[in-house]
Amino acid sequence: MTEEQPPLVLPSFGVPRNLRERITETLRAAVISGELRPGAVHSAPHLAAQFGVSATPVREAMLDLVKEGLVDTVRNKGFRVTEPSEKDLDDLSELRALIEVPTVRRLAETGVDPQVLARLRPLAAGIERAAVEHDLIAHVATDMQFHLMLLAEAGNPQLVEVVRSLRARSRIYGLRRLAEREELVPSSAEHAQLLDLLEARDADGAQALMDRHIRHVRGIWAG
């Protein structure tokens, strides 16, 4: 039997620009955070009703997630969230560390444009705000935006796309537990701390913090 899941708390989008992209981003974050549970089957019309939009952009967004390996199609029913193994999560975290940690160190060594740091500050604040409000979907979506924008400063679009894929295929099932114990806010503050280290061009500090940040995700949140 298909496992029933309580309704999600999803934002109502109306009809903004790039609707499909916004829905894809939100659903991706819902999968990563575990708000869309593995094994549960979700229909496009049901999700669309929660978003307050038609089923077409939601169906298109879910097909995007099929291509990313986050969901599978279930004939005549909808989409089922996939569940990576513990080995998969270990491998993804290892690859992330191999790419992101040295890249952040290099950015600290070469320096990040102050205007870019200024644009990243509100995102860091948004990650903390979402943690305070226990808005896990916004937390994951903003976190993804923060890290990809930062890595883009390395000037390697291929690197950014690889990290985007690795992050999307990860899972952070323990987020709600951390939020309920009020332990999500301190770890969320690491983003603002990272910006301070980058601004100070503290390569050793930035490298150590980024390594610790990824270990938090795998060692605590994904367990």
Side-chain angles (χ1 to χ4, degrees):
M1 295 179 62
T2 299
E3 181 184 1
E4 293 293 331
Q5 176 171 329
L8 297 173
V9 179
L10 297 175
S12 178
F13 286 147
V15 190
R17 287 183 60 189
N18 301 320
L19 179 61
R20 173 177 173 175
E21 288 82 356
R22 291 187 63 192
I23 293 174
T24 301
E25 177 185 89
T26 300
L27 291 175
R28 182 188 295 112
V31 170
I32 295 171
S33 66
E35 292 297 274
L36 280 178
R37 292 203 303 265
V41 176
H42 306 273
S43 71
H46 178 69
L47 291 171
Q50 295 183 69
F51 279 123
V53 300
S54 69
T56 298
V58 175
R59 188 174 292 108
E60 292 173 343
M62 293 300 277
L63 290 173
D64 288 339
L65 298 188
V66 170
K67 295 176 184 176
E68 296 179 13
L70 299 185
V71 300
D72 294 323
T73 56
V74 180
R75 188 174 181 180
N76 299 325
K77 291 186 178 180
F79 303 88
R80 178 184 288 115
V81 177
T82 61
E83 183 168 17
S85 68
E86 291 295 312
K87 177 65 163 55
D88 291 334
L89 293 173
D90 286 338
D91 291 347
L92 291 168
S93 295
E94 181 181 2
L95 288 171
R96 280 189 53 196
L98 288 171
I99 297 172
E100 294 185 61
V101 173
T103 300
V104 165
R105 179 183 181 89
R106 188 167 69 251
L107 288 172
E109 290 173 339
T110 59
V112 179
D113 187 328
Q115 293 184 352
V116 173
L117 293 175
R119 290 198 297 270
L120 286 166
R121 293 282 181 189
L123 292 178
I127 295 169
E128 290 191 55
R129 183 167 57 252
V132 170
E133 297 172 356
H134 297 186
D135 187 343
L136 306 187
I137 294 176
H139 183 276
V140 170
T142 310
D143 178 84
M144 175 85 79
Q145 186 180 0
F146 174 94
H147 286 284
L148 295 181
M149 183 183 294
L150 174 60
L151 293 173
E153 290 306 295
N156 187 338
Q158 298 298 327
L159 180 150
V160 175
E161 287 307 310
V162 168
V163 172
R164 184 194 306 274
S165 175
L166 293 173
R167 283 177 167 270
R169 290 154 56 198
S170 299
R171 299 290 190 276
I172 317 177
Y173 296 139
L175 275 180
R176 181 159 295 285
R177 183 179 66 252
L178 279 187
E180 290 170 350
R181 297 199 310 238
E182 304 300 333
E183 295 177 9
L184 187 56
V185 175
S187 59
S188 298
E190 291 177 344
H191 298 84
Q193 295 166 14
L194 179 60
L195 294 180
D196 291 340
L197 293 167
L198 290 169
E199 187 173 29
R201 300 184 69 164
D202 182 346
D204 290 340
Q207 176 180 338
L209 190 149
M210 193 65 214
D211 182 69
R212 185 168 68 251
H213 187 67
I214 293 176
R215 290 178 188 277
H216 282 171
V217 173
R218 180 64 192 112
I220 301 175
W221 297 347

